[in-house]
């Protein structure tokens, strides 16, 4: 019998790599709280996602995350435009103002829109978008199931919960397509509120059912019950895993030590965040 | 090996006891079939054996179940993992890895088997289930039969004493089903494994099993030898019905047994009236030289050079192995699978140019999962939505539904009604747009014989009385024999046979119904035909 230790299929990174990469970049973003850094991270995330994601069921979530990010951005900008506390800055234009009762002192709806107000809204919106995209990239590039295999089995409950929650999104994404197509066969338009309810319900039920099946399968195969699990073929932490996350780690360090506001820093962060593409 | 003593089971919020005071035992090395109507509680019995019921699903259990000397009351399913292996109804949902090999190794990893032993076990199981060629493949790319085999391998790898399978062949074509069942048969004989299978398609399994547990649905179970149970059971495969109508002295469980005891029947008739389809009419569906590809990257054709017609008033069955392109073909007829070449006409128009609203008045499509169509909170609401969508008078859909079958409580949630009722609901929603062509993709999955009879009667009425066409894809040979006027056979994306049901089904032994196999020289397909013939010759 020949012993086969290597994987012939392309497992590019360790299952944890992407989550660590995303966590480090999230910290970078929150520390920096700077729109240029946010834009830099969004650009690299998009590049990473589109160059590395394959046509696997879990990578389809990314397209949905993009839509979600766009909606989040629009809503935040709309709020920035309409509601807010008076802020200084150059007034761009004035919206008709609604007078609120005494109770909401300091808050107004409508009124003058200043550059300051728009910019602070934009900063928050863009931060939101970058966080969503980071999470989506990690989700799209790592297989939830292989994550399950490397988590310590002692934390049975956590492992199970994390797998179920991380596999719901991909399942829902593929479910939506299927149900949408089926729904059209009932002669319904696939837009509008009622149709969304019609799609969401079966998709959620379906995802839930799958997750319950998965949990039952894990349970009946003894997952988490036996003290010393072994590995058939270990998921090795390779040099390129270290390289991939060290890029993200550098950007975090860079942000914490420097107070420079030039464009060099975002450029560097963007490059560091891209390391997985260079090493893969 | 397995002992049930005074076992009763009730689910919370349920008024019905699933099992009441059941006692039986199964010895080592037995192959046992669990049969019963949909919803009778077959899956519950199966899951009781490895403790998923009640530990995973909830429910109140009384009495004692012991498996290999361990009580399932005291031990959780995980703790029984080394003695019981289970393969669920949808194995795809239970897979935890991408690669075949990793999936199979998973059970050993959790049990903490040392890696050198693990390699050997994985190797053995790969050999046993003929998966060696597929070891590095992605599970999601495998066919249904291959996935089923992977799931069995993954359950067997830990060397359990008991293997439980829930409808292992319902998604498989006859050849793949035969493969899976003969592997199970071999495991029972070679390894002394105890196998318990829940299955609706009795014609596929009864020849392999030693004993049958009949789940009556009122809480009682009946365990007996295959012939005993089939003699009295209300559900029986065509072979048994044939034996009963020929008044044979005992019940045969295999074609071979039947042939030994059956009287010699002459080829009574040579000419059969071929179904009266008026081909001078314009076809409802016409495909001319249609090609479709799986993915753009790989230039493999899901369909190639398809030429076919479906005429008004006929029922056409589309058959072929898993992955032959049946679903793609059906979907392309409603414009949901892009074609790269060729022409598709629906009543003379291109389906891609029609709006959804227009399309459904020509073609009604019931997908593989009828519940994809449903989203209301109750049966009534579903019907109301359909009335509104198709702008037909209120109550039309509900009326259609009650013409199809005895309808469930109209306030029941569509999830809670039986598979057959759900299919009927989806079908009546589709019919409310009064399409000229009704397409059904694999409608009999999970249907019991009774629900299938209802479906057959309905499809015949839709086609022959209302003069619509029915185009149906299925693995179910017996259904085809009962219902279809014509069969189109696909292999690897190409039409390899297109003729009357009798021609096509009697031409290939693998896709022949039981009656045709049992009486090979008569060209009969169904028990009803045999009965009619006997009746006439008297």
């Amino acid at each position: 019998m020949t012993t086969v230790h290597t994987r012939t299929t392309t497992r590019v990174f360790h299952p944890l790599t992407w989550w660590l990469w995303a966590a480090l970049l999230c910290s970078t973003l929150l520390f920096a709280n700077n729109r240029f850094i946010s834009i830099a991270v969004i650009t690299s995330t998009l590049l990473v996602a589109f160059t590395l994601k394959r046509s696997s069921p879990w990578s389809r979530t990314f397209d949905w995350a993009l839509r979600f990010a766009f909606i989040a951005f629009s809503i935040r900008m709309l709020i920035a435009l309409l509601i807010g506390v008076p802020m200084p800055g150059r007034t761009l234009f004035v919206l008709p103002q609604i007078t609120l009762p005494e109770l909401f002192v300091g808050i107004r709806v409508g009124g003058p829109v200043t550059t300051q107000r728009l910019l602070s809204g934009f900063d928050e919106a863009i931060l939101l978008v970058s966080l969503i995209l980071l999470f989506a990239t990690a989700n799209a590039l790592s297989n939830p199931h292989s994550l399950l295999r490397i988590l310590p089995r002692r934390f049975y409950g956590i492992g199970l919960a994390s797998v179920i929650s991380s596999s719901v999104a991909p399942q829902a994404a593929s479910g939506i397509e299927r149900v949408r197509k089926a729904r059209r066969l009932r002669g319904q338009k696939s837009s509008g509120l009622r149709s969304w309810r019609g799609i969401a319900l079966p998709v959620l039920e379906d995802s839930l059912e799958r997750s319950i099946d998965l949990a039952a399968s894990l349970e009946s195969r003894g997952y988490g019950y036996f003290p010393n699990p072994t590995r058939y073929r270990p998921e090795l932490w390779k040099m390129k895993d270290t390289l991939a996350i060290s890029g993200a780690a550098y950007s975090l360090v860079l942000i914490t030590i420097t107070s420079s506001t030039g464009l060099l820093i975002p450029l560097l962060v963007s490059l560091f965040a891209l390391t997985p593409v260079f090493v893969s | 090996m397995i002992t049930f003593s005074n076992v009763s089971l009730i689910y919370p919020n349920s008024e019905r006891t699933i099992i009441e005071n059941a006692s039986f035992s199964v010895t080592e090395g037995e192959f046992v079939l669990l049969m019963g109507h949909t919803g009778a509680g077959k899956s519950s019995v199966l899951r009781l054996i490895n403790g998923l019921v009640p530990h995973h699903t909830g429910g109140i259990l009384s009495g004692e179940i012991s498996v290999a000397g361990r009580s399932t009351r005291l031990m959780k399913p995980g703790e029984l993992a080394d003695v019981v292996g289970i393969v669920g109804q949808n194995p795809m949902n239970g897979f935890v890895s991408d690669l075949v090999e990793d999936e199979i190794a998973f059970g050993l990893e959790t049990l903490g088997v040392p890696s050198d032993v693990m390699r050997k076990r994985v190797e053995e199981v790969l050999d046993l289930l003929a998966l060696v060629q597929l070891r590095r493949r992605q599970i999601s790319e495998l066919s249904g039969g291959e996935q089923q085999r992977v799931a069995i391998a993954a359950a067997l790898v830990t060397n359990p004493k008991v293997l439980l399978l829930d409808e292992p062949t319902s998604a498989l074509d006859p050849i793949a089903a035969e493969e899976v069942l003969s592997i199970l048969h071999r495991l029972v004989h070679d390894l002394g494994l105890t196998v318990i299978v829940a299955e609706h398609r009795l014609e596929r399994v009864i020849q392999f099993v030693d004993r049958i547990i009949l789940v009556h649905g009122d809480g009682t179970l009946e365990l007996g030898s295959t012939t005993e149970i089939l003699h009295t059971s209300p559900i029986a495969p065509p072979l048994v019905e044939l034996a009963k109508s020929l008044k044979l002295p005992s019940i045969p469980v295999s074609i071979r047994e039947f042939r030994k005891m059956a009287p010699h029947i002459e080829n009574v008739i040579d000419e059969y009236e071929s179904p009266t389809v008026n081909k001078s009419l314009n076809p409802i569906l016409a495909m001319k030289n249609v090609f479709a590809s799986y993915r753009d990257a790989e230039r493999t054709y899901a369909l190639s050079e398809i030429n076919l017609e479906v005429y008004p008033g006929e029922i056409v069955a589309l058959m072929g192995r898993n992955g032959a392109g049946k679903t793609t073909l059906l979907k392309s007829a409603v414009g949901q699978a892009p074609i790269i070449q060729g022409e598709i006409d629906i009543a003379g128009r291109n389906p891609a140019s029609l709006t959804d609203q227009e399309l459904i008045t020509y073609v009604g499509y019931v997908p593989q999962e009828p519940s994809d169509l449903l989203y209301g909170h109750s049966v009534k609401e579903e019907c109301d939505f359909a009335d509104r969508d198709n702008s037909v008078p209120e109550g039309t859909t509900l009326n259609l539904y009650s013409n199809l079958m005895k309808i469930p409580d109209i306030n029941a949630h569509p999830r809670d009604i039986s598979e057959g009722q759900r299919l009927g609901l989806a079908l009546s929603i589709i019919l409310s747009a009064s399409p000229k062509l009704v397409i059904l993709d694999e409608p009999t999955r999970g249907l019991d014989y009774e629900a299938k009879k209802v479906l057959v009667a309905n499809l015949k009425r839709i086609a022959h009385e209302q003069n619509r066409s029915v185009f149906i894809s299925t693995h179910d040979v017996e259904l085809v024999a009962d219902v279809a006027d014509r069969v189109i056979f696909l292999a690897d994306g190409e039409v390899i046979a297109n003729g009357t049901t009798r021609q096509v089904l009697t031409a290939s032994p693998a896709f022949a119904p039981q009656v045709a196999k049992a009486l090979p020289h008569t060209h009969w397909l169904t028990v009803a035909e045999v009965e009619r013939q006997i009746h006439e010759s008297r």
Side-chain angles (χ1 to χ4, degrees):
Chain A
M1 197 185 86
T2 52
T3 45
V4 192
H5 289 276
T6 47
R7 243 167 231 275
T8 44
T9 53
T10 51
R11 185 194 67 90
V12 185
F13 289 104
H14 191 271
L16 268 184
T17 307
W18 287 113
W19 291 105
L20 288 173
W21 173 84
L24 285 165
L25 286 177
C26 274
S27 321
T28 310
L29 283 171
L30 296 173
F31 260 112
N33 198 4
N34 172 311
R35 71 185 69 107
F36 296 110
I37 301 282
S38 300
I39 292 171
V41 170
I42 290 176
T43 329
S44 331
T45 310
L46 285 174
L47 275 171
V48 167
F50 281 110
T51 43
L52 294 183
K53 85 176 174 136
R54 282 184 201 80
S55 57
S56 55
W58 54 90
S59 69
R60 238 175 296 166
T61 39
F62 194 77
D63 304 337
W64 289 99
L66 271 180
R67 290 176 210 193
F68 179 66
F70 178 74
I71 294 170
F73 181 82
S74 320
I75 291 176
R76 183 62 192 90
M77 285 314 283
L78 198 71
I79 290 172
L81 211 58
L82 293 180
I83 309 166
V85 287
M87 274 207 194
R90 196 163 61 88
T91 305
L92 292 173
F93 50 89
V94 182
L95 290 174
Q97 190 171 345
I98 303 164
T99 33
L100 290 175
E102 284 287 308
L103 197 62
F104 303 98
V105 67
I107 300 174
R108 57 175 202 205
V109 175
V113 177
T114 62
T115 40
Q116 176 96 43
R117 186 160 138 194
L118 271 189
L119 270 181
S120 81
F122 177 77
D123 284 354
E124 280 177 33
I126 204 96
L127 186 64
L128 201 61
V129 168
S130 49
L131 292 180
I132 292 172
L133 290 186
L134 274 179
F135 180 78
T137 309
N139 217 329
L141 294 178
S142 51
N143 174 358
H145 290 165
S146 58
L147 198 64
L148 170 112
R149 301 189 124 194
I150 54 147
L151 280 172
R153 314 260 161 128
R154 206 163 301 168
F155 307 120
Y156 164 72
I158 301 174
L160 197 58
S162 66
V163 166
I164 288 178
S165 51
S166 62
S167 58
V168 159
Q171 278 161 7
S174 60
I176 287 172
E177 270 314 297
R178 200 187 72 227
V179 174
R180 257 182 134 178
K181 282 189 165 177
R183 198 50 40 79
R184 283 179 45 203
L185 300 171
R186 255 183 97 157
Q188 279 184 346
K189 295 171 199 81
S190 13
S191 55
L193 252 177
R194 210 181 99 200
S195 99
W196 269 105
R197 183 191 141 205
I199 289 168
L201 261 178
V203 167
L204 278 177
E205 280 174 347
D206 191 58
S207 311
L208 196 68
E209 205 178 288
R210 279 164 194 266
S211 301
I212 288 172
D213 276 3
L214 179 63
S217 156
L218 286 171
E219 176 105 31
S220 29
R221 289 160 88 176
Y223 180 77
Y225 280 95
F226 295 86
N228 299 305
T230 44
R231 306 264 350 152
Y232 179 65
R233 203 178 286 135
E235 300 273 3
L236 294 174
W237 184 268
K238 297 198 195 108
M239 190 58 187
K240 62 179 173 189
D241 293 302
T242 315
L243 285 174
I245 61 163
S246 60
Y250 281 140
S251 58
L252 178 58
V253 173
L254 197 66
I255 292 301
T256 43
I257 57 169
T258 173
S259 51
S260 153
T261 49
L263 278 180
L264 181 67
I265 302 293
L267 201 67
L268 281 175
V269 167
S270 173
L271 275 176
F272 282 145
L274 275 176
T275 36
V277 177
F278 302 136
V279 296
S280 77
Chain B
M1 182 54 55
I2 302 164
T3 321
F4 274 52
S5 16
N6 306 320
V7 174
S8 297
L9 172 72
I10 185 165
Y11 287 125
N13 311 324
S14 159
E15 284 149 27
R16 190 168 71 91
T17 37
I18 307 294
I19 298 166
E20 214 171 314
N21 206 18
S23 301
F24 64 86
S25 61
V26 173
T27 52
E28 194 170 344
E30 263 195 293
F31 195 160
V32 179
L33 166 71
L34 267 169
M35 68 181 218
H37 295 292
T38 338
K42 294 189 299 297
S43 298
S44 297
V45 175
L46 213 59
R47 292 167 143 230
L48 271 173
I49 299 172
N50 90 324
L52 277 175
V53 176
H55 292 294
H56 187 79
T57 54
I60 304 155
L61 171 72
S62 77
E64 193 62 46
I65 301 168
S66 93
V67 180
R70 302 189 202 176
S71 159
T72 65
R73 179 211 288 282
L74 303 172
M75 293 192 135
K76 293 200 158 188
E79 294 166 287
L80 291 165
D82 52 336
V83 288
V84 187
I86 187 165
V87 179
Q89 229 169 65
N90 297 307
M92 201 56 211
N93 291 357
F95 288 142
V96 289
S97 327
D98 307 323
L99 296 184
V100 171
E101 220 178 350
D102 292 0
E103 179 64 31
I104 293 172
F106 184 80
L108 295 171
E109 290 181 346
T110 60
L111 295 185
V113 174
S115 68
D116 48 335
V117 181
M118 192 161 4
R119 291 239 146 71
K120 260 184 249 159
R121 284 296 303 153
V122 170
E123 226 45 50
E124 278 168 30
V125 173
L126 284 171
D127 278 335
L128 201 61
L129 289 152
L131 287 167
V132 180
Q133 305 295 324
L134 306 174
R135 61 193 301 164
R136 300 293 160 76
R137 293 272 299 278
Q138 295 271 331
I139 295 178
S140 53
E141 291 169 359
L142 302 181
S143 74
E146 290 165 341
Q147 286 177 357
Q148 192 64 253
R149 260 156 51 204
V150 172
I152 294 174
L156 270 183
V157 75
T158 55
N159 237 339
K161 297 196 163 67
V162 179
L163 182 64
L164 311 170
L165 300 111
D166 200 350
E167 295 197 28
T169 77
S170 68
L172 305 186
D173 63 64
I175 298 167
E178 184 80 25
E179 260 169 36
V180 166
L181 285 165
S182 41
I183 285 171
L184 291 176
H185 184 71
R186 210 173 75 221
L187 294 173
V188 170
H189 283 251
D190 293 359
L191 307 179
L193 190 72
T194 310
V195 176
I196 303 198
V197 168
E199 185 62 69
H200 279 307
R201 305 222 173 146
L202 304 180
E203 69 272 12
R204 290 178 172 182
V205 287
I206 52 156
Q207 52 175 316
F208 296 103
V209 301
D210 303 315
R211 289 206 286 172
I212 295 180
I213 299 174
L214 178 59
V215 185
H216 281 294
D218 57 357
T220 56
L221 303 183
E222 197 182 332
L223 177 69
S225 74
T226 315
T227 38
E228 257 167 50
I229 297 282
L230 289 177
H231 194 71
T232 50
S233 145
I235 1 176
L239 187 69
V240 172
E241 286 184 356
L242 180 63
K244 282 182 186 167
S245 67
L246 290 176
K247 303 206 170 53
L248 295 188
S250 69
I251 301 287
V253 293
S254 67
I255 302 290
R256 191 161 164 260
E257 267 180 45
F258 176 88
R259 285 195 191 166
K260 273 191 213 157
M261 60 175 94
H264 182 70
I265 298 177
E266 280 297 314
N267 193 356
V268 204
I269 21 162
D270 302 314
E271 281 302 307
Y272 279 92
E273 73 289 12
S274 57
T276 49
V277 169
N278 193 350
K279 295 215 173 178
S280 60
L281 291 171
N282 288 327
I284 290 281
L285 169 69
M287 292 193 170
K288 285 183 207 103
N289 206 20
V290 169
F291 285 78
S293 74
Y294 269 127
R295 288 186 201 97
D296 301 323
E298 309 151 31
R299 301 289 295 175
T300 45
Y301 291 120
L303 298 175
S304 72
E305 224 190 318
I306 302 285
N307 286 294
L308 59 87
E309 275 108 33
V310 177
Y311 291 94
E314 69 170 343
I315 303 177
V316 180
L318 186 62
M319 299 191 77
R321 300 210 50 183
N322 291 97
K326 297 189 296 296
T327 301
T328 315
L329 195 152
L330 293 187
K331 281 195 170 159
S332 68
V334 283
Q336 288 204 345
I339 57 168
I340 48 178
Q341 199 189 315
E343 247 177 74
I344 298 177
D345 277 351
I346 293 279
R349 302 180 64 175
N350 178 3
S353 72
L354 298 171
T355 66
D356 295 339
Q357 296 286 341
E358 287 171 329
L359 184 71
I360 59 165
T361 61
Y362 293 105
V363 206
Y365 188 102
V366 181
Q368 231 167 59
E369 287 291 333
S371 55
D372 285 356
L373 286 181
L374 310 176
Y375 56 91
H377 290 302
S378 67
V379 172
K380 172 128 188 17
E381 203 181 29
E382 288 298 347
C383 293
D384 291 346
F385 284 157
D387 290 342
R388 219 176 321 149
D389 288 338
N390 300 316
S391 14
V392 287
E394 217 183 296
T396 312
T397 311
L398 199 60
N399 205 11
L400 277 168
Y401 191 18
S402 54
N403 285 340
L404 291 181
M405 59 184 69
K406 197 173 149 288
I407 58 168
D409 176 16
I410 55 164
N411 294 316
H413 194 278
R415 280 242 141 194
D416 297 333
I417 61 182
S418 78
E419 303 254 3
Q421 288 167 335
R422 201 150 45 229
L423 178 66
L425 179 58
L427 188 57
S428 35
I429 289 168
I430 290 302
L431 287 177
S432 66
S434 38
K436 297 187 174 66
L437 169 65
V438 179
I439 295 178
L440 297 105
D441 192 0
E442 206 67 59
T444 58
R445 201 183 162 177
L447 292 194
D448 53 29
Y449 283 110
E450 214 149 292
K452 239 156 50 177
K453 266 181 201 149
V454 175
L455 178 71
V456 166
N458 283 325
L459 293 183
K460 281 189 172 163
R461 216 174 49 209
I462 291 169
H464 301 152
E465 286 172 27
Q466 302 169 4
N467 203 34
R468 303 170 204 244
S469 317
V470 175
F471 196 15
I472 174 174
S473 94
T474 182
H475 290 313
D476 194 329
V477 205
E478 305 295 338
L479 175 85
V480 175
D482 268 341
V483 80
D485 301 316
R486 195 151 62 86
V487 176
I488 292 171
F489 207 99
L490 277 190
D492 207 19
E494 291 175 47
V495 174
I496 56 161
N498 181 353
T500 64
T501 307
R502 209 173 303 281
Q503 283 166 0
V504 177
L505 288 193
T506 51
S508 113
F511 282 83
Q514 279 199 310
V515 172
K517 282 184 193 163
L519 303 167
H521 307 297
T522 59
H523 295 280
W524 285 326
L525 296 176
T526 61
V527 180
E529 272 179 354
V530 178
E531 278 172 352
R532 201 174 58 219
Q533 208 60 50
I534 293 170
H535 190 74
E536 278 171 20
S537 63
R538 266 198 202 123

